[in-house]
Every structure is written in C-alpha cells, then in structure tokens.
Amino acid sequence: MKIRDTVLPVLRPYGGKEEVEALRDSIESGWWGKGPKVAEFEKKFAKMVGAKYAVAVTSATHGQDLVLKAMGIKDCDIINPTISFMTTAMVPLWNNCTSNIVDVDRHTLNLDPDDVKKSLKPNTKAIIAVNMAGVPAPIDEIRKFYDGFIIEDTAHSCYTPGAGMAGDVAVWSFQAVKTMPCGDGGMITTDNKELYEKLVPMTWLGITSTYSRVANNNNPEGRPGYSWDYEVNMVGYKAYMIDLSASICLEQMKKLPAYLERRRHIQKRYNDELHSIIGRPAHSETVQYYCARVPPEHRDNLIDYLSDKKIHTGVHFKPLHKHSIVKQNREYPVADTEWLKLISFPVHPIMTDDDISYVVYWVNKYFEEKI
C-alpha cells in the first residue's frame, strides 16, 4: 500500500461552519465572557446527562479542584487509579492531600475494587473514579464497602449513557481532543443543591457573574437593568467558562451523536480486522481512545514503524506511580505489566473508511513481517 503524504493523527478535533458562525454570533453579541451561551450550555448539558445542576468551568482539572475545595476536602488521603492522566494525582496535592494511587483491573484499566478496599485509610475522604477511555468505573462495587465521597471522572465518557450518575459528583472535559471539544473547558454536574450553590460563586472569586446580575434584574418598566453591587463572603477562584467556548460546545453537542457513532464504527472495524495477536480493549460507547495491547517487545517498535507510515499513535497512559512527584512505596502487578503493552491507534470523527483500512493494513503488515 502506498504511504500517505500527510500524517494521520491519533486524535484530533473537528469543527465546521457551524462553530465559526456560533463564534461570530458570540463575538458580535458583545458577550465574550460568561454570559447567555454559558447559561444555555449548562442547562442543555445537565439535561443531556440527567443531572439537576451543571457548572461550566475552564477545564476538568479545575473542576475537580473546585469540587474538593467546595467540599472542604483537604489534609487527607485521596484514592485514584494509576492508569490515568496526571490531573487525578495532581489535584489532591493542590489540596495538601496524599495522592493514594491504586492498581487497576486488567481488562478495563479502571480502579480495581479489591485494591481500593485494601488501600483505604482512616483519613481517606475521597475517591476519584476514572471512566478509562469511556468505560464506566466500578463505582457500584466500591459502594459496597465505601460510603465516602466519590468524584466520577467522566472526562472520557461524554456521552456514555448513565455516566455521571454513580458518583456524588461528575467532572467532564471538553479539552481539544475529547469527544465534544471546544479547545479546553469542563463541566461539573451534580444533584446536590448545596454543593451547586457553593460552586457557582467559587468559579469567579466568590462573585456572582455579571450576566446573572443583568439577566435577573429588571426595572419596573420591564427594561433590562444591571445591579453593580455585590458582596464577597467566601474564598473563590477564577475558573468560569466563557461564551466563546460555550458557543463551540453547543454546536459540538449537536454533532456528538454522529461523532460517537463514527467512533464506534472505527472501534468495530479495528476489533474485526486487526491481527489476532492484538488484545482488544473493553468496549466503549465513546471510544475516547482505542487502547489496544501488543506484546511488550513489539510496542515501541510498532510505534516507530507506524510513524514511518505517517500513522501517529499514543500510549494512554504512563502509570501515575512512575512519576517521581507521586511515587508510591508499593507494587502494581497489573499496571506494571499491562501498560507496557498499551498502544492507542487513531480514533477521531473524520477518519474515513480508507483511513481505517490504512491503519489496519500497516499494523497487520508489521506483525506478518515480525512473527
């Protein structure tokens, strides 16, 4: 097969004229900060995932941090899985907590409930349960022995039906290569009214938004008014989403069903057509990543081989416990074995069937030559 002229990326966002027009509308409206588009997005997103409340923020990372601060979770132990992005290990450190990193299930790469149970400490005040690659974490299993606070990290599962419902709060991501991207952004969803009412002013230094003071204040003649006065009585941060980002998210939300259908089509073709030596990942409704597994002696060579064919791949993820900032004094028999096999093949909504065939051809060609 002829080698491509251009690189096939492992992940990438895709927008079109709809996003451009939405941005134009927001720019021309004069609302560039947190305004009506953010309010619309929060309402529609909460409805989509089945939550009562939603708070749009600058990123899922900031979302997790705000949740811990709103709950007063600090100076304690927080459990999170070793196969995860650095967010879940770093955010506990921001709150003077121990990042208690546990091993994962061999098949799903999610938290291993047995290891969670063994790792609980008297001062464990929260668990961050990641839905790895969109596969739901075993929160129901963990609930059998743990009744504390659980953050469901739904960064990879927008939108897996039922995602965000098992934990006490869910934190979503709209980062540039996620299933519903806007460059960067996040959403906190919850059914807890008290938590929601704490989070809203925390996103802007303890102040209610300018838009809320315009939208909720009309003078007696019915003309829009504006209340300039506000009172700050809590420590807040600066982590609110702006309308420019929300306008992109609203358009991406409309396209999400078709994009996810395409991702699942790619998943099916990989499952059906890749060489039998390749371990298939657990089924995902979002296919945020297609984390295949190959014999570890071949993984890095295959990455280089595919790169020469203009196919980019990735490894999701290097285990958190291997980073010196959160190195742990314990063993990880599953993660230490499985991560050496991991290779993520390209998955994004504008991959054509020819692109899929191209990946399958060169991956299979490598193993035909090597084994």
Side-chain angles (χ1 to χ4, degrees), residues 196-267:
Y196 168 74
E197 290 177 344
K198 285 182 181 179
L199 286 167
V200 172
M202 283 182 69
T203 65
W204 189 30
L205 305 170
I207 306 169
T208 57
S209 74
T210 300
Y211 175 68
S212 69
R213 284 180 281 124
V214 171
N216 296 326
N217 184 41
N218 293 325
N219 63 28
E221 289 77 24
R223 290 178 286 106
Y226 172 63
S227 175
W228 59 265
D229 196 12
Y230 55 84
E231 177 71 21
V232 177
N233 56 18
M234 65 184 299
V235 174
Y237 306 86
K238 196 168 188 292
Y240 57 80
M241 181 180 283
I242 63 174
D243 269 26
L244 298 178
S245 299
S247 64
I248 296 175
C249 281
L250 284 164
E251 295 305 317
Q252 287 283 303
M253 183 185 290
K254 297 173 187 175
K255 300 176 179 181
L256 183 60
Y259 285 176
L260 294 182
E261 183 178 357
R262 189 64 189 170
R263 287 175 176 271
R264 290 190 292 267
H265 172 73
I266 297 167
Q267 176 179 241

Coordinates of all heavy atoms in Angstrom, one line a residue, residues 196-267:
Y196 N -23.8 22.7 44.5 CA -24.0 23.5 43.4 C -24.0 25.0 43.8 O -23.2 25.8 43.1 CB -25.3 23.2 42.7 CG -25.7 24.2 41.6 CD1 -25.1 24.3 40.4 CD2 -26.8 25.1 41.9 CE1 -25.5 25.2 39.4 CE2 -27.2 26.0 40.9 CZ -26.5 26.1 39.7 OH -26.9 27.0 38.8
E197 N -24.7 25.4 44.8 CA -24.7 26.8 45.2 C -23.4 27.3 45.8 O -23.1 28.5 45.7 CB -25.8 27.0 46.3 CG -27.2 26.8 45.6 CD -28.4 26.9 46.6 OE1 -28.1 26.8 47.8 OE2 -29.5 27.1 46.2
K198 N -22.5 26.4 46.3 CA -21.2 26.7 46.7 C -20.3 26.9 45.4 O -19.5 27.9 45.4 CB -20.6 25.7 47.6 CG -21.1 25.6 49.0 CD -20.4 24.5 49.8 CE -20.9 24.4 51.2 NZ -20.2 23.4 52.0
L199 N -20.5 26.0 44.5 CA -19.6 26.1 43.3 C -19.8 27.3 42.4 O -18.8 27.8 41.9 CB -19.8 24.8 42.5 CG -19.3 23.5 43.0 CD1 -19.8 22.3 42.3 CD2 -17.7 23.5 43.0
V200 N -21.0 27.7 42.2 CA -21.2 28.8 41.3 C -20.4 30.1 41.6 O -19.6 30.5 40.7 CB -22.7 29.2 41.2 CG1 -22.9 30.4 40.4 CG2 -23.5 28.0 40.6
P201 N -20.4 30.6 42.8 CA -19.6 31.8 43.0 C -18.1 31.5 43.2 O -17.2 32.3 42.9 CB -20.1 32.4 44.4 CG -20.8 31.2 45.0 CD -21.3 30.4 43.9
M202 N -17.8 30.2 43.5 CA -16.4 29.9 43.6 C -15.7 30.0 42.3 O -14.4 30.1 42.2 CB -16.2 28.4 44.1 CG -16.4 28.3 45.6 SD -16.2 26.6 46.2 CE -14.4 26.4 46.0
T203 N -16.4 29.9 41.1 CA -15.7 29.9 39.8 C -15.3 31.3 39.5 O -14.5 31.5 38.6 CB -16.7 29.5 38.7 OG1 -17.8 30.4 38.6 CG2 -17.2 28.1 39.0
W204 N -15.8 32.4 40.3 CA -15.3 33.7 40.0 C -15.1 34.5 41.3 O -15.9 35.4 41.7 CB -16.3 34.5 39.1 CG -15.7 35.8 38.6 CD1 -14.4 36.1 38.4 CD2 -16.5 37.0 38.3 NE1 -14.3 37.4 38.0 CE2 -15.5 38.0 38.0 CE3 -17.8 37.3 38.4 CZ2 -15.9 39.3 37.6 CZ3 -18.2 38.6 38.0 CH2 -17.3 39.6 37.6
L205 N -14.1 34.1 42.1 CA -13.6 34.9 43.2 C -14.7 35.1 44.2 O -14.6 36.1 45.0 CB -13.0 36.2 42.7 CG -11.8 36.0 41.7 CD1 -11.5 37.4 41.1 CD2 -10.7 35.4 42.3
G206 N -15.7 34.3 44.3 CA -16.8 34.5 45.2 C -17.9 35.4 44.8 O -18.7 35.8 45.6
I207 N -17.8 35.8 43.5 CA -18.8 36.8 43.0 C -19.8 36.1 42.1 O -19.4 35.2 41.3 CB -18.0 37.9 42.2 CG1 -16.9 38.5 43.0 CG2 -19.0 39.0 41.7 CD1 -16.0 39.4 42.2
T208 N -21.0 36.5 42.1 CA -22.0 36.1 41.1 C -21.6 36.7 39.8 O -21.0 37.8 39.8 CB -23.4 36.5 41.5 OG1 -23.5 37.9 41.7 CG2 -23.9 35.8 42.8
S209 N -21.9 36.1 38.7 CA -21.5 36.6 37.4 C -22.2 37.9 37.0 O -23.3 38.2 37.4 CB -21.8 35.5 36.3 OG -23.1 35.4 36.0
T210 N -21.5 38.6 36.2 CA -22.1 39.9 35.6 C -23.4 39.5 34.9 O -24.4 40.2 35.0 CB -21.1 40.6 34.7 OG1 -19.9 40.9 35.4 CG2 -21.7 41.8 34.1
Y211 N -23.4 38.5 34.1 CA -24.6 38.1 33.3 C -25.8 37.8 34.2 O -26.9 38.2 34.0 CB -24.3 36.9 32.4 CG -25.6 36.5 31.7 CD1 -26.1 37.3 30.7 CD2 -26.2 35.3 32.0 CE1 -27.3 36.9 30.1 CE2 -27.3 34.9 31.3 CZ -27.9 35.7 30.4 OH -29.0 35.3 29.7
S212 N -25.5 37.1 35.3 CA -26.6 36.8 36.2 C -27.2 38.0 36.8 O -28.4 38.1 37.1 CB -26.2 35.8 37.3 OG -25.3 36.5 38.2
R213 N -26.4 39.1 37.1 CA -26.9 40.3 37.6 C -27.6 41.1 36.6 O -28.4 42.0 36.9 CB -25.8 41.1 38.3 CG -25.4 40.5 39.6 CD -24.3 41.2 40.4 NE -23.0 40.9 39.8 CZ -22.1 41.7 39.3 NH1 -22.4 43.0 39.3 NH2 -21.0 41.4 38.8
V214 N -27.4 40.9 35.3 CA -28.1 41.6 34.3 C -29.4 40.8 34.0 O -30.5 41.3 33.9 CB -27.3 41.6 33.0 CG1 -28.2 42.1 31.8 CG2 -26.1 42.6 33.1
A215 N -29.3 39.5 33.9 CA -30.4 38.6 33.5 C -31.5 38.6 34.6 O -32.7 38.5 34.2 CB -30.0 37.2 33.2
N216 N -31.1 38.7 35.8 CA -32.1 38.6 36.9 C -32.6 39.9 37.5 O -33.2 39.9 38.5 CB -31.5 37.7 38.0 CG -31.2 36.3 37.6 OD1 -31.9 35.8 36.7 ND2 -30.1 35.7 38.1
N217 N -32.2 41.0 36.9 CA -32.6 42.3 37.5 C -33.3 43.2 36.4 O -32.6 43.8 35.5 CB -31.3 43.0 38.0 CG -31.7 44.3 38.7 OD1 -32.6 44.4 39.4 ND2 -30.9 45.3 38.4
N218 N -34.6 43.3 36.4 CA -35.3 44.1 35.5 C -35.9 45.3 36.3 O -36.4 45.1 37.5 CB -36.5 43.4 34.8 CG -35.9 42.3 33.9 OD1 -34.9 42.5 33.3 ND2 -36.5 41.2 33.8
N219 N -35.9 46.5 35.7 CA -36.5 47.6 36.4 C -38.1 47.6 36.2 O -38.6 46.8 35.5 CB -35.9 48.9 35.9 CG -36.2 49.1 34.4 OD1 -37.2 48.7 33.9 ND2 -35.3 49.9 33.7
P220 N -38.8 48.5 36.9 CA -40.3 48.4 36.9 C -40.9 48.6 35.5 O -42.0 48.1 35.2 CB -40.7 49.6 37.8 CG -39.5 49.7 38.7 CD -38.3 49.4 37.9
E221 N -40.1 49.3 34.6 CA -40.7 49.4 33.3 C -40.4 48.2 32.4 O -40.9 48.2 31.2 CB -40.0 50.7 32.6 CG -40.5 52.0 33.2 CD -39.8 52.3 34.5 OE1 -38.7 51.7 34.7 OE2 -40.4 53.0 35.3
G222 N -39.8 47.2 32.9 CA -39.5 46.0 32.1 C -38.3 46.0 31.3 O -38.0 45.1 30.6
R223 N -37.5 47.1 31.3 CA -36.3 47.2 30.5 C -35.2 46.5 31.3 O -35.2 46.5 32.5 CB -35.9 48.7 30.3 CG -36.9 49.4 29.3 CD -36.5 50.9 29.1 NE -36.9 51.7 30.3 CZ -36.0 52.1 31.2 NH1 -34.7 51.9 31.0 NH2 -36.4 52.9 32.2
P224 N -34.2 45.9 30.6 CA -33.1 45.2 31.3 C -32.4 46.2 32.2 O -32.2 47.4 31.8 CB -32.2 44.8 30.1 CG -33.1 44.7 29.0 CD -34.1 45.8 29.1
G225 N -32.1 45.8 33.4 CA -31.3 46.6 34.3 C -30.0 45.9 34.6 O -29.6 44.9 34.1
Y226 N -29.3 46.5 35.6 CA -28.0 46.0 36.0 C -27.7 46.3 37.4 O -27.8 47.5 37.8 CB -26.9 46.5 35.0 CG -25.5 46.1 35.5 CD1 -25.1 44.8 35.5 CD2 -24.6 47.1 35.9 CE1 -23.8 44.4 35.9 CE2 -23.3 46.7 36.3 CZ -22.9 45.4 36.3 OH -21.7 45.1 36.7
S227 N -27.4 45.3 38.2 CA -27.0 45.6 39.6 C -25.5 45.5 39.7 O -24.9 44.4 39.5 CB -27.7 44.5 40.5 OG -27.2 44.7 41.8
W228 N -24.9 46.7 40.0 CA -23.4 46.7 40.0 C -22.9 46.2 41.3 O -21.7 45.8 41.4 CB -22.9 48.1 39.8 CG -23.4 49.1 40.8 CD1 -24.5 49.9 40.6 CD2 -22.9 49.3 42.1 NE1 -24.7 50.7 41.8 CE2 -23.7 50.3 42.7 CE3 -21.8 48.8 42.8 CZ2 -23.5 50.8 44.0 CZ3 -21.6 49.3 44.1 CH2 -22.4 50.3 44.7
D229 N -23.7 46.2 42.4 CA -23.2 45.8 43.7 C -23.2 44.3 43.9 O -24.0 43.6 43.4 CB -24.1 46.5 44.7 CG -23.5 46.5 46.1 OD1 -22.3 46.3 46.2 OD2 -24.2 46.8 47.1
Y230 N -22.2 43.9 44.7 CA -22.1 42.5 45.1 C -21.3 42.4 46.4 O -20.6 43.4 46.8 CB -21.4 41.7 44.0 CG -20.1 42.2 43.6 CD1 -18.9 41.8 44.3 CD2 -19.9 43.0 42.4 CE1 -17.7 42.3 43.9 CE2 -18.7 43.4 42.0 CZ -17.6 43.1 42.7 OH -16.3 43.6 42.3
E231 N -21.5 41.3 47.1 CA -20.8 41.1 48.4 C -20.0 39.8 48.3 O -20.6 38.8 47.8 CB -21.8 41.0 49.5 CG -21.2 40.7 50.9 CD -20.4 41.9 51.4 OE1 -20.6 43.0 51.0 OE2 -19.5 41.6 52.3
V232 N -18.7 39.8 48.6 CA -17.9 38.6 48.6 C -17.8 38.1 50.1 O -17.2 38.8 50.9 CB -16.6 38.8 48.0 CG1 -15.7 37.6 48.1 CG2 -16.7 39.3 46.5
N233 N -18.2 36.9 50.3 CA -18.1 36.3 51.7 C -17.5 35.0 51.7 O -17.7 34.2 52.7 CB -19.5 36.3 52.4 CG -20.5 35.5 51.5 OD1 -20.1 34.7 50.7 ND2 -21.8 35.7 51.8
M234 N -16.8 34.6 50.6 CA -16.1 33.3 50.6 C -14.9 33.4 49.7 O -14.7 34.3 48.9 CB -17.1 32.3 49.9 CG -17.4 32.5 48.5 SD -18.6 31.4 47.8 CE -17.7 29.9 47.9
V235 N -13.9 32.5 49.9 CA -12.8 32.4 49.0 C -13.2 31.8 47.7 O -13.8 30.7 47.6 CB -11.7 31.5 49.6 CG1 -10.5 31.3 48.7 CG2 -11.2 32.2 50.9
G236 N -12.9 32.5 46.6 CA -13.2 32.0 45.3 C -12.0 31.9 44.4 O -10.9 32.4 44.8
Y237 N -12.2 31.5 43.1 CA -11.1 31.3 42.2 C -11.6 31.9 40.9 O -12.7 32.5 40.8 CB -10.8 29.8 42.1 CG -10.5 29.3 43.5 CD1 -11.5 28.8 44.3 CD2 -9.2 29.3 44.0 CE1 -11.2 28.4 45.6 CE2 -8.9 28.8 45.3 CZ -9.9 28.4 46.1 OH -9.7 28.0 47.3
K238 N -10.8 31.7 39.8 CA -11.2 32.3 38.5 C -11.2 31.1 37.5 O -10.1 30.8 37.0 CB -10.3 33.4 38.0 CG -10.9 34.2 36.9 CD -10.1 35.5 36.7 CE -10.8 36.4 35.7 NZ -10.8 35.8 34.3
A239 N -12.3 30.4 37.4 CA -12.3 29.2 36.6 C -13.6 29.0 35.9 O -14.0 27.9 35.6 CB -12.1 28.0 37.6
Y240 N -14.3 30.1 35.5 CA -15.6 30.0 34.8 C -15.4 29.9 33.3 O -14.4 30.4 32.8 CB -16.5 31.2 35.1 CG -15.9 32.6 34.8 CD1 -15.9 33.1 33.5 CD2 -15.3 33.4 35.8 CE1 -15.3 34.3 33.2 CE2 -14.8 34.6 35.5 CZ -14.8 35.1 34.2 OH -14.2 36.3 33.9
M241 N -16.2 29.1 32.6 CA -16.2 29.1 31.2 C -16.7 30.4 30.6 O -17.5 31.1 31.2 CB -17.1 27.9 30.7 CG -17.1 27.7 29.2 SD -18.2 26.4 28.6 CE -17.1 25.0 29.0
I242 N -16.3 30.7 29.4 CA -16.7 31.9 28.7 C -17.6 31.6 27.5 O -17.6 30.4 27.1 CB -15.6 32.8 28.3 CG1 -14.7 32.1 27.3 CG2 -14.7 33.3 29.5 CD1 -13.6 33.0 26.7
D243 N -18.4 32.6 27.1 CA -19.3 32.3 26.0 C -18.7 31.9 24.7 O -19.3 31.1 23.9 CB -20.2 33.6 25.7 CG -21.4 33.6 26.5 OD1 -21.4 33.0 27.6 OD2 -22.4 34.2 26.1
L244 N -17.4 32.3 24.4 CA -16.8 31.9 23.2 C -16.6 30.4 23.2 O -16.8 29.7 22.2 CB -15.4 32.6 23.0 CG -15.5 34.1 22.9 CD1 -14.1 34.7 22.8 CD2 -16.3 34.5 21.7
S245 N -16.2 29.8 24.4 CA -16.0 28.4 24.5 C -17.4 27.7 24.4 O -17.6 26.6 23.8 CB -15.3 28.0 25.8 OG -14.0 28.6 25.8
A246 N -18.4 28.2 25.2 CA -19.7 27.6 25.2 C -20.4 27.5 23.9 O -21.1 26.6 23.6 CB -20.6 28.3 26.3
S247 N -20.1 28.6 23.1 CA -20.8 28.6 21.7 C -20.3 27.4 20.9 O -21.0 26.8 20.1 CB -20.5 29.9 21.0 OG -19.1 30.1 20.8
I248 N -19.0 27.1 21.0 CA -18.4 25.9 20.3 C -19.0 24.6 20.9 O -19.5 23.7 20.1 CB -16.9 25.9 20.4 CG1 -16.3 27.1 19.7 CG2 -16.4 24.6 19.7 CD1 -14.8 27.2 19.8
C249 N -19.1 24.5 22.2 CA -19.6 23.3 22.8 C -21.1 23.1 22.4 O -21.5 21.9 22.2 CB -19.6 23.5 24.3 SG -17.9 23.1 25.0
L250 N -21.9 24.1 22.3 CA -23.3 23.9 21.9 C -23.4 23.4 20.5 O -24.3 22.5 20.2 CB -24.0 25.3 22.0 CG -24.3 25.7 23.4 CD1 -24.7 27.2 23.4 CD2 -25.5 24.9 24.0
E251 N -22.5 23.8 19.6 CA -22.5 23.2 18.3 C -22.0 21.8 18.3 O -22.5 20.9 17.6 CB -21.7 24.1 17.3 CG -22.3 25.4 17.1 CD -23.8 25.4 16.6 OE1 -24.1 24.6 15.7 OE2 -24.6 26.2 17.2
Q252 N -20.9 21.5 19.0 CA -20.4 20.2 19.1 C -21.4 19.2 19.8 O -21.4 18.0 19.4 CB -19.1 20.2 20.0 CG -17.9 20.8 19.3 CD -17.3 19.9 18.2 OE1 -16.9 18.8 18.5 NE2 -17.2 20.4 17.0
M253 N -22.2 19.7 20.7 CA -23.2 18.8 21.3 C -24.2 18.3 20.3 O -24.6 17.2 20.3 CB -23.9 19.6 22.4 CG -25.0 18.8 23.2 SD -25.9 19.7 24.4 CE -24.7 20.0 25.6
K254 N -24.6 19.2 19.3 CA -25.5 18.8 18.3 C -24.9 17.6 17.4 O -25.6 16.8 16.9 CB -25.8 20.0 17.4 CG -26.6 21.1 18.1 CD -26.7 22.3 17.1 CE -27.3 23.5 17.8 NZ -27.3 24.7 16.9
K255 N -23.6 17.7 17.2 CA -22.9 16.7 16.4 C -22.4 15.5 17.1 O -22.0 14.5 16.5 CB -21.7 17.4 15.7 CG -22.0 18.6 14.9 CD -20.7 19.3 14.3 CE -21.1 20.5 13.5 NZ -19.9 21.1 12.9
L256 N -22.5 15.5 18.4 CA -22.0 14.4 19.3 C -22.5 13.0 18.9 O -21.7 12.1 18.8 CB -22.2 14.7 20.7 CG -21.6 13.7 21.7 CD1 -20.1 13.6 21.6 CD2 -22.0 14.1 23.2
P257 N -23.8 12.9 18.7 CA -24.3 11.5 18.4 C -23.7 10.9 17.1 O -23.3 9.8 17.1 CB -25.8 11.7 18.2 CG -26.2 12.9 19.1 CD -25.0 13.8 18.9
A258 N -23.6 11.8 16.1 CA -22.9 11.3 14.8 C -21.5 11.0 15.0 O -20.9 10.0 14.5 CB -23.1 12.3 13.7
Y259 N -20.8 11.9 15.8 CA -19.3 11.6 16.1 C -19.1 10.4 16.8 O -18.2 9.6 16.5 CB -18.8 12.8 16.9 CG -18.5 14.1 16.0 CD1 -18.1 15.2 16.7 CD2 -18.8 14.1 14.7 CE1 -17.9 16.4 16.0 CE2 -18.5 15.3 14.0 CZ -18.1 16.4 14.6 OH -17.9 17.6 13.9
L260 N -20.0 10.1 17.8 CA -19.8 8.9 18.6 C -20.1 7.6 17.8 O -19.5 6.6 17.9 CB -20.7 8.9 19.9 CG -20.3 10.0 20.9 CD1 -21.3 9.9 22.1 CD2 -18.9 9.9 21.3
E261 N -21.1 7.7 16.9 CA -21.4 6.6 16.0 C -20.2 6.3 15.1 O -19.9 5.1 14.9 CB -22.6 7.0 15.1 CG -23.1 5.8 14.2 CD -24.3 6.2 13.4 OE1 -24.9 7.3 13.6 OE2 -24.7 5.3 12.6
R262 N -19.5 7.3 14.7 CA -18.3 7.1 13.9 C -17.2 6.5 14.7 O -16.5 5.6 14.2 CB -17.8 8.5 13.3 CG -16.7 8.3 12.2 CD -17.2 7.6 11.0 NE -16.2 7.2 10.1 CZ -16.3 6.4 9.1 NH1 -17.5 5.9 8.8 NH2 -15.3 6.1 8.3
R263 N -17.0 6.9 15.9 CA -16.0 6.3 16.8 C -16.3 4.9 17.0 O -15.3 4.0 17.0 CB -15.9 7.1 18.1 CG -15.3 8.5 18.0 CD -15.4 9.2 19.3 NE -14.7 10.5 19.3 CZ -13.4 10.7 19.6 NH1 -12.7 9.6 20.0 NH2 -12.9 11.9 19.6
R264 N -17.5 4.5 17.2 CA -17.9 3.1 17.5 C -17.7 2.3 16.2 O -17.3 1.1 16.3 CB -19.3 3.0 18.0 CG -19.4 3.5 19.4 CD -20.8 3.2 20.0 NE -21.9 3.9 19.4 CZ -22.4 5.1 19.8 NH1 -21.8 5.7 20.9 NH2 -23.4 5.6 19.2
H265 N -17.9 2.9 15.0 CA -17.6 2.2 13.8 C -16.2 1.9 13.6 O -15.8 0.8 13.2 CB -18.1 3.1 12.6 CG -17.7 2.6 11.3 ND1 -18.3 1.5 10.7 CD2 -16.8 3.0 10.4 CE1 -17.8 1.2 9.5 NE2 -16.8 2.1 9.3
I266 N -15.3 2.8 14.0 CA -13.9 2.6 14.0 C -13.5 1.5 14.9 O -12.7 0.6 14.6 CB -13.1 3.9 14.3 CG1 -13.4 5.0 13.2 CG2 -11.6 3.6 14.4 CD1 -13.0 6.4 13.7
Q267 N -14.0 1.5 16.1 CA -13.8 0.5 17.1 C -14.2 -0.9 16.6 O -13.4 -1.8 16.7 CB -14.6 0.8 18.4 CG -14.6 -0.2 19.5 CD -15.4 0.2 20.7 OE1 -14.9 0.3 21.8 NE2 -16.7 0.3 20.5

